[in-house]
Amino acid sequence: MKNRQKNLNIIAGILALLILTVVIWGYLHGTEPIHTQFSDGIEQIDLDTIYLRSSGVEVNFSEVILSHQSETRKLIVSTQDGTVTTKLTDRLIKQLDFDFLKKTQNVSYSGTGYFVVDLDNLTAANIIEDKDEKTVTIQIDHAYLQAIEIDPNKVIVDDVKESLLAWGDIKLTVADYNAVEQDLRTRLEEKFNTAANGQAADELALQMVKEIYEPVVKAIDRRYSVIAQFK
């Protein structure tokens, strides 16, 4: 009986020694508690955006882009400022074109031309997703001169330049005024609506469309980028 008790004490001592050895080894080697790692499929992009890696939700880029269509129906991509001048001439004798028989007056108009792109013409067919390249291509119309705004504060009417036999103000009828205004507007349009200005507006249109829609696309899937091109 004494031998059996002695053997149990020896076994208990050995177990206690083993436990003490394991504790000391763990302390010396900095063993950390075991943590269970798992993924819920949600990745934080920033404070306002999350990306669902495997949620099973299929997002249609064209539906999202077209849903904001009413907010940016006409995109102003470029403005041009310019001034044109016309010379009014009043002859003392209409049939004779001599300097000493006529008086002249210069009228100048300053205005701003607006080049725009119609984004309300976008359809689902103009928004092309490439899943392999991770791109969304948006096809737009070319920019065009949509409006000319005349600044009434910058309409300059010079003094009448008189001649030897022609002096006094140049008197214009309502029809004359309308003709002068139409001529100046036409010349402003010709000044703005050039190939160089159109090309510059087109380049800005591609850049601005990309800047507008790329954040929308990346909010859906940050791996995608936007390519803007013309139809």
Side-chain angles (χ1 to χ4, degrees), residues 56-122:
V57 178
E58 185 74 20
V59 179
N60 189 311
F61 287 105
S62 63
E63 289 181 359
V64 177
I65 290 173
L66 294 176
S67 67
H68 296 281
Q69 195 175 41
S70 60
E71 300 174 9
T72 52
R73 298 182 70 87
K74 300 251 184 222
L75 176 64
I76 299 175
V77 297
S78 177
T79 59
Q80 297 286 333
D81 295 321
T83 300
V84 292
T85 302
T86 190
K87 179 182 287 188
L88 307 180
T89 301
D90 188 11
R91 299 175 187 172
L92 184 62
I93 302 175
K94 304 299 181 183
Q95 294 77 12
L96 299 179
D97 187 16
F98 296 108
D99 289 342
F100 64 89
L101 292 176
K102 61 185 180 183
K103 50 190 174 183
T104 59
Q105 184 178 35
N106 290 332
V107 179
S108 299
Y109 269 29
S110 294
T112 302
Y114 296 89
F115 285 83
V116 304
V117 170
D118 287 329
L119 295 181
D120 52 356
N121 290 334
L122 283 178

Side-chain angles (χ1 to χ4, degrees), residues 136-149:
V136 176
T137 299
I138 301 177
Q139 298 175 330
I140 62 173
D141 294 320
H142 285 275
Y144 66 95
L145 181 64
Q146 192 259 347
I148 296 176
E149 183 179 272

